[in-house]
Amino acid sequence: MNTSKLKSTLKRVAAANRPELADLEYLLGLTDDRELALVYQYADEVRAQYCGSGIWLRGVVEFSSYCRNNCLYCGLNAGNKDLPRYRLNAEEILAAAEQIAGGAIKTIVLQSGEDPELDPLWLRDLIIKIKSRFDLAVTLSVGERSRQDYYLWRAVGADRYLLKIETSDRKLYESLHPDMSFTQRLRCLGELKDLGYQVGSGNIVGLKGQSLKQIARDILFFQENDFDMIGIGPFIPHQATALAAESKADLQLTLKTLALTRIVTKNTYLPATTALGSLGADYRREGLKAGANVLMPNFTPQPYRKYYEIYPGKRCINENAGDCGPCMEIMAGQINRNIDYSVGHTLKRGGEHGQKGTNY
Ligand code: 5AD
Ligand code: FES
């Protein structure tokens, strides 16, 4: 093990305005357990320095599993006719919001497939109701929409938006997303930022045909775009997809990507993703020790949870809506961290709280 090379590379990457691709590739390629431990520890220190010891919670409500797309990796793909689909009504979503707020959690994430029947005015009214009844920041995650829709929701107080780039490699992106365009994806991310949303993006690690160089470029893409939040999840093959026969992502590669994203982007919200918790065992603690500082407990009501099957083995499928919140406290305690019950707005740009968007 060449500790001095490793340490000097980590320092150079952390200090650079734009790290060298070759440095990131070298770090992503490490396999020795002691070397990996040093990378994770370095990321943990950067997390402590820029974000403190807190773990922020975002309560997720998966409110529609309908999707128009056919992403090669995703179990919700439109071609999967075996999956029963559901759509929650406003009352069910408001009940979930009440549970989230009742658990002292300050963010609700409204997530769905790209549901062709999502009425933007219905979602606008729902945001208004949530905002008037509860002390909750609202994060939307409903995919690619028109600027007008993004504007409509932002204007009634939606705070944040999650739209993963999945891969920053245009060719790989377009091979995984039939009928979608990388240019369009970038258009959406740009508009969301322009409208004053706090923007979350992220990638999938371990995709078929994905090289270390492409992952290194993902990390540079995250830095260039100055995202407020970045979700990094391991690929998990789903039986009803074109990638059914591929192998799942390597845990260490996922953790390295997370750790390097922390080291490069510094004060970003990085979740220990549900996919990381579903990789055979629950590796979210490992994620939290390698740079992550967010957990996303599931508040989708039963009996719908099992139908939001993005990938198989998704954790907490049988739990009830309120179960995951308390579990977060236990997890934080196990690794000597604490849950931070503040709203957790962006740490970027002097913590502008995302309220300054004026480009409506
Ligand atoms: N494995 C891992 N992550 C997946 N996602 C979708 N399908 C899979 C899969 N098979 C992720 C995508 C998407 C998020 C909601 O779930 O990154 O943005
Ligand atoms: Fe769902 Fe622990 S995170 S029960």
Side-chain angles (χ1 to χ4, degrees):
M1 148 160 130
N2 186 343
T3 314
S4 68
K5 178 177 180 192
L6 171 54
K7 287 188 175 162
S8 63
T9 310
L10 281 171
K11 271 195 192 148
R12 193 162 58 238
V13 163
N17 285 327
R18 189 184 160 84
E20 294 295 328
L21 201 60
D23 282 345
L24 290 174
E25 258 187 279
Y26 157 75
L27 293 168
L28 285 169
L30 296 173
T31 50
D32 182 279
D33 283 345
R34 288 162 306 169
E35 293 185 324
L36 294 179
L38 285 176
V39 174
Y40 303 153
Q41 191 192 334
Y42 198 98
D44 200 45
E45 285 164 14
V46 173
R47 186 269 311 150
Q49 185 186 343
Y50 286 88
C51 311
S53 63
I55 296 171
W56 280 266
L57 303 182
R58 322 298 197 188
V60 181
V61 183
E62 298 149 333
F63 70 91
S64 167
S65 65
Y66 285 87
C67 193
R68 77 175 99 219
N69 293 327
N70 274 300
C71 307
L72 264 57
Y73 46 80
C74 185
L76 299 188
N77 71 82
N80 183 2
K81 306 289 183 210
D82 296 334
L83 184 69
R85 308 280 170 159
Y86 71 89
R87 214 174 260 125
L88 301 187
N89 63 34
E91 284 65 42
E92 290 170 311
I93 300 172
L94 288 164
E98 188 169 9
Q99 247 174 344
I100 292 171
I105 297 173
K106 300 293 190 312
T107 299
I108 184 170
V109 181
L110 297 174
Q111 182 163 87
S112 70
E114 285 198 5
D115 184 344
E117 284 174 39
L118 174 68
D119 176 357
L121 295 173
W122 172 85
L123 183 54
R124 185 189 63 169
D125 289 347
L126 182 68
I127 296 166
I128 293 171
K129 287 193 182 114
I130 292 174
K131 284 278 170 184
S132 68
R133 294 186 199 176
F134 309 106
D135 180 21
L136 287 174
V138 172
T139 300
L140 303 177
S141 178
V142 303
E144 296 181 9
R145 306 285 306 197
S146 67
R147 182 182 174 106
Q148 197 185 351
D149 288 354
Y150 290 155
Y151 163 74
L152 206 64
W153 302 327
R154 175 78 187 120
V156 294
D159 301 271
R160 314 190 190 124
Y161 204 101
L162 302 182
L163 186 70
K164 291 174 68 169
I165 194 70
E166 314 295 2
T167 169
S168 65
D169 187 283
R170 180 181 295 267
K171 264 204 176 142
L172 181 59
Y173 181 92
E174 294 189 346
S175 76
L176 292 165
H177 303 97
D179 308 320
M180 293 172 78
S181 110
F182 189 71
T183 303
Q184 169 80 346
R185 198 76 168 176
L186 295 179
R187 192 267 305 157
C188 290
L189 285 168
E191 287 178 355
L192 290 164
K193 188 161 196 186
D194 204 33
L195 289 166
Y197 282 95
Q198 299 168 55
V199 179
S201 196
N203 69 350
I204 304 179
V205 174
L207 288 163
K208 184 188 179 200
Q210 188 185 39
S211 63
L212 295 187
K213 186 175 260 145
Q214 286 169 327
I215 298 176
R217 287 209 183 98
D218 288 351
I219 297 171
L220 294 177
F221 176 85
F222 298 150
Q223 186 195 34
E224 278 158 25
N225 285 277
D226 201 28
F227 294 119
D228 303 293
M229 186 253 198
I230 299 162
I232 289 160
F235 167 69
I236 302 173
H238 186 290
Q239 65 284 359
T241 65
L243 301 182
E246 302 305 321
S247 20
K248 68 179 177 191
D250 177 60
L251 169 67
Q252 301 303 341
L253 181 59
T254 311
L255 293 173
K256 278 180 279 183
T257 307
L258 175 62
L260 292 173
T261 300
R262 168 63 70 205
I263 293 166
V264 170
T265 70
K266 313 282 192 301
N267 55 348
T268 315
Y269 288 106
L270 301 182
T273 54
T274 305
L276 195 51
S278 311
L279 205 56
D282 186 355
Y283 294 110
R284 288 177 297 178
R285 279 174 207 77
E286 281 71 15
L288 291 166
K289 290 195 274 188
N293 67 337
V294 171
L295 285 167
M296 303 182 75
N298 192 334
F299 280 83
T300 307
Q302 297 295 13
Y304 304 110
R305 274 197 197 192
K306 60 179 168 300
Y307 301 125
Y308 205 84
E309 199 190 43
I310 300 175
Y311 43 77
K314 192 158 161 253
R315 54 168 307 103
C316 306
I317 285 301
N318 298 316
E319 270 74 8
N320 287 312
D323 291 349
C324 295
C327 187
M328 305 290 105
E329 281 285 352
I330 296 169
M331 206 183 311
Q334 285 164 345
I335 55 167
N336 286 319
R337 298 266 285 280
N338 60 288
I339 301 293
D340 189 315
Y341 289 97
S342 68
V343 64
H345 279 315
T346 185
L347 302 167
K348 305 270 176 185
R349 302 174 296 279
E352 68 175 24
H353 294 187
Q355 302 305 322
K356 277 204 225 146
T358 50
N359 300 331
Y360 297 165

